[in-house]
């Protein structure tokens, strides 16, 4: 078979320069493909790491939510417990105040009844004395008919008896009128407050409460002085204003108190109402009395 005949000359074979360019092009394509594969591998690793980090962050968020929920519930429970405790203490305080008020009113009624009974007894005694005195005067007048010589002496004696009786009666009435009901520092109206020795004696004679007189000196500022079943420590005095400051120890509790003279300092020992009255204030000294119930109220 004969070789084909071309109408044109055959193309020349590629030279070395074309081969080199082709090799470079092929190498570039291969390098590009390799780089692309490397990038795909890096992107795959980055995606895996990103997914792992996202999962870890979600776990931390879930844990934080759980801890926040538990903490909130614990705090809410604590607040509810505190509210219940406060309500219980408020109810207890209101009940204690109500009981104290009832006890104070009952005690005031009892003291009023005792005072009224004492006034009746005093009136009966005065009437009896007047009756006896009238009888004595009548007897003196009858004896005067037979003993004119002694009439002047008897009249003098009778007048002296009248004068003494009137003076005693006036002193008694004056002492009773001088005893006044005063509202103490707790807002409770005191039975009656004495302002001097004679009035203190009158309170003591009534026998309704135990009266203990005392005198305090500020020279020793560290040792309490025993007064009845309590202790007192004088801290300061102001004679110009008749004011003072002291500390009061009762039932193992120390309470600061300050006031003016003749105003009761009121406090409870157990369930019994005590009253401390200062009558005089001097330079670094005070004097007064402690009034306590005859019979202590039981706890």
């Amino acid at each position: 078979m004969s070789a084909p005949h071309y109408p044109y000359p055959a193309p020349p074979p590629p030279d070395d320069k074309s081969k080199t360019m082709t090799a470079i092009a092929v190498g570039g394509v291969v390098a590009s493909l390799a780089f692309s594969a490397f990038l795909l591998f890096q992107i795959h690793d980055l995606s895996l790491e990103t997914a792992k980090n996202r999962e870890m962050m979600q776990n931390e968020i879930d844990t934080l939510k759980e801890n926040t929920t538990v903490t909130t519930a614990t705090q809410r429970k604590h607040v509810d417990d505190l509210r219940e405790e406060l309500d219980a203490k408020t109810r207890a305080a209101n009940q204690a105040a109500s009981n104290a008020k009832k006890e104070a009113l009952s005690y005031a009624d009892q003291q009023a009844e005792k005072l009224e009974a004492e006034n009746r007894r005093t009136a009966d005694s005065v009437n009896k004395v007047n009756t006896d005195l009238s009888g004595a005067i009548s007897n003196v007048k009858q004896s005067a008919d037979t003993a004119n010589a002694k009439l002047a002496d008897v009249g003098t004696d009778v007048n002296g008896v009248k004068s003494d009786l009137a003076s005693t009666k006036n002193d008694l009435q004056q002492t009773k009128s001088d005893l006044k009901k005063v509202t103490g520092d707790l807002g409770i109206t005191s039975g009656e407050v004495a302002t001097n020795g004679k009035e203190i004696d009158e309170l003591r004679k009534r026998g309704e409460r135990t009266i203990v007189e005392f005198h305090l000196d500020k020279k020793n500022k560290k040792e309490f002085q025993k007064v009845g079943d309590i202790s007192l420590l004088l801290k300061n005095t102001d004679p110009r204003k008749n004011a003072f400051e002291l500390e009061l120890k009762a039932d193992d509790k120390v309470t600061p108190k300050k006031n003016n003279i003749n105003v009761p300092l009121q406090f409870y020992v157990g369930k019994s109402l005590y009253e401390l009255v200062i009558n005089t204030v001097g330079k670094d000294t005070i004097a007064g009395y402690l009034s306590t119930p005859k019979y202590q109220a039981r706890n």
Side-chain angles (χ1 to χ4, degrees):
M1 184 175 181
S2 58
H5 295 277
Y6 296 95
Y8 300 101
D15 56 11
D16 293 338
K17 185 177 181 181
S18 296
K19 291 179 180 180
T20 302
M21 293 299 293
T22 300
I24 292 173
V26 171
V29 170
V30 171
S32 176
L33 291 174
F35 183 71
S36 296
F38 175 76
L39 289 178
L40 289 174
F41 181 77
Q42 292 293 323
I43 291 172
H44 177 70
D45 289 345
L46 182 60
S47 297
L48 291 177
E49 185 177 357
T50 300
K52 184 178 180 180
N53 290 336
R54 184 183 296 109
E55 182 180 359
M56 291 176 60
M57 291 179 64
Q58 185 62 43
N59 290 337
E60 291 181 359
I61 291 173
D62 293 340
T63 302
L64 181 60
K65 286 182 178 180
E66 291 178 0
N67 292 338
T68 302
T69 301
V70 172
T71 302
T72 301
T74 302
Q75 291 177 346
R76 185 179 295 109
K77 178 66 168 57
H78 183 61
V79 170
D80 293 339
D81 291 343
L82 289 177
R83 184 180 292 109
E84 291 178 1
E85 182 180 357
L86 178 61
D87 292 341
K89 289 184 178 180
T90 300
R91 288 193 297 270
N94 291 337
Q95 184 64 37
S98 177
N99 292 339
K101 182 178 180 180
K102 290 179 181 179
E103 181 179 351
L105 292 175
S106 175
Y107 178 78
D109 292 340
Q110 293 176 3
Q111 296 303 311
E113 292 176 358
K114 289 182 180 180
L115 180 59
E116 185 178 357
E118 179 67 22
N119 289 336
R120 286 197 298 269
R121 288 194 295 268
T122 301
D124 292 341
S125 298
V126 173
N127 291 335
K128 186 177 183 302
V129 171
N130 288 335
T131 300
D132 294 342
L133 181 59
S134 297
I137 294 175
S138 178
N139 292 334
V140 169
K141 288 183 178 179
Q142 292 176 2
S143 300
D145 295 335
T146 57
N148 291 329
K150 297 182 180 180
L151 183 59
D153 294 335
V154 172
T156 301
D157 292 339
V158 170
N159 289 332
V161 171
K162 284 184 177 181
S163 177
D164 292 341
L165 179 61
S167 177
T168 301
K169 183 178 179 181
N170 289 335
D171 289 343
L172 178 61
Q173 294 298 330
Q174 182 64 35
T175 300
K176 288 179 177 293
S177 63
D178 288 341
L179 292 174
K180 299 177 181 179
K181 292 185 177 182
V182 180
T183 300
D185 63 338
L186 292 185
I188 301 173
T189 301
S190 174
E192 286 176 333
V193 174
T195 60
N196 53 50
K198 183 181 293 185
E199 294 174 7
I200 293 175
D201 290 338
E202 173 62 20
L203 283 181
R204 186 180 285 112
K205 289 177 182 178
R206 294 186 178 186
E208 297 169 355
R209 292 172 68 85
T210 300
I211 306 298
V212 179
E213 296 183 73
F214 63 88
H215 180 276
L216 292 183
D217 194 320
K218 200 180 70 172
K219 291 181 179 179
N220 192 340
K221 297 183 179 181
K222 295 184 179 180
E223 293 186 4
F224 281 81
Q225 177 177 325
K226 193 75 173 176
V227 178
D229 57 350
I230 68 169
S231 298
L232 300 175
L233 177 63
L234 181 59
K235 303 297 291 185
N236 194 20
T237 61
D238 188 348
R240 291 182 300 175
K241 296 181 179 179
N242 283 326
F244 60 91
E245 295 181 15
L246 55 79
E247 289 184 352
L248 185 152
K249 182 189 292 184
D251 284 345
D252 296 329
K253 295 179 181 178
V254 176
T255 304
K257 290 278 190 179
K258 61 181 179 179
N259 213 330
N260 299 98
I261 62 171
N262 300 328
V263 178
L265 295 175
Q266 298 171 325
F267 55 97
Y268 283 93
V269 177
K271 290 187 177 180
S272 298
L273 180 64
Y274 281 39
E275 291 186 340
L276 188 73
V277 180
I278 305 302
N279 299 130
T280 59
V281 176
K283 183 180 180 181
D284 298 334
T285 62
I286 59 173
Y289 67 93
L290 173 67
S291 174
T292 63
K294 282 284 187 181
Y295 304 98
Q296 302 291 331
R298 295 183 178 179
N299 295 330

